[in-house]
Amino acid sequence: MHPARHLRRCRTGARRSVFWGVNATVSKLLMNDYHADPLWIACVRELLAGVIFLVCAGIFTPDKFINSLKDYRSYPRLLLCAFFCVLMVQVSYLKAIDWTNSGTATVLQTLNLLVVLVFVCIMGKRLPGKRESIGVILAFVGTVLIATGGDLSQLSLPLPGLLWGLTDAVCTSLLAILPSH
């Protein structure tokens, strides 16, 4: 890969990470200081993103946009993906932030990789490899440490926060699984 292109991708990744962190922090601020409901935040965010997406699709790829509107058979799958892959990811992530904090919610969300790994192993009728198994063990140990604070006799996180974070992980994994099947 050309060095300039690599550098551009690194900058884009860094910007995305900053925006993700700002998003979580602003969301926590809205929920704590202004008592905004996570469902309200998610709905407003998704409605605005949907309008922007539709306008951009209509402007930049009008033929594909029109063809997708004519494909009535894909509507059920699109609605399923919209609900589980978009809305529930937002709601569960915001609820996890509301019950815990943005860092914990983000760490719990990254467990989606485990769900995808389980799916891939089941569909491929195989067991996880050595590196994958080590990753699963480390992710599990890390999650237990976050959830218990190192004291295995009690949770240091509120149970609803942990459950919302795990729900977010499952819904986020569906972003990779549902559109491809």
Side-chain angles (χ1 to χ4, degrees), residues 10-28:
C10 287
R11 284 190 204 135
T12 300
R15 276 194 303 270
R16 288 178 181 172
S17 298
V18 168
F19 284 134
W20 187 256
V22 169
N23 155 50
T25 304
V26 169
S27 296
K28 184 71 172 173

Side-chain angles (χ1 to χ4, degrees), residues 41-59:
I41 295 171
C43 287
V44 168
R45 189 186 283 176
E46 294 310 312
L47 285 171
L48 290 174
V51 168
I52 292 168
F53 174 79
L54 291 174
V55 167
C56 288
I59 292 171

Side-chain angles (χ1 to χ4, degrees), residues 77-96:
R77 172 180 265 162
L78 289 173
L79 290 173
L80 186 69
C81 285
F83 181 75
F84 285 107
C85 296
V86 179
L87 182 62
M88 280 306 296
V89 165
Q90 289 293 317
V91 171
S92 57
Y93 181 66
L94 290 168
K95 285 289 211 180

Side-chain angles (χ1 to χ4, degrees), residues 135-148:
V136 168
I137 292 167
L138 289 174
F140 181 74
V141 169
T143 303
V144 168
L145 289 174
I146 287 172
T148 63

Side-chain angles (χ1 to χ4, degrees), residues 147-164:
T148 63
D151 180 4
L152 299 179
S153 65
Q154 65 180 5
L155 284 176
S156 65
L157 290 178
L159 183 59
L162 179 61
L163 293 176
W164 278 114

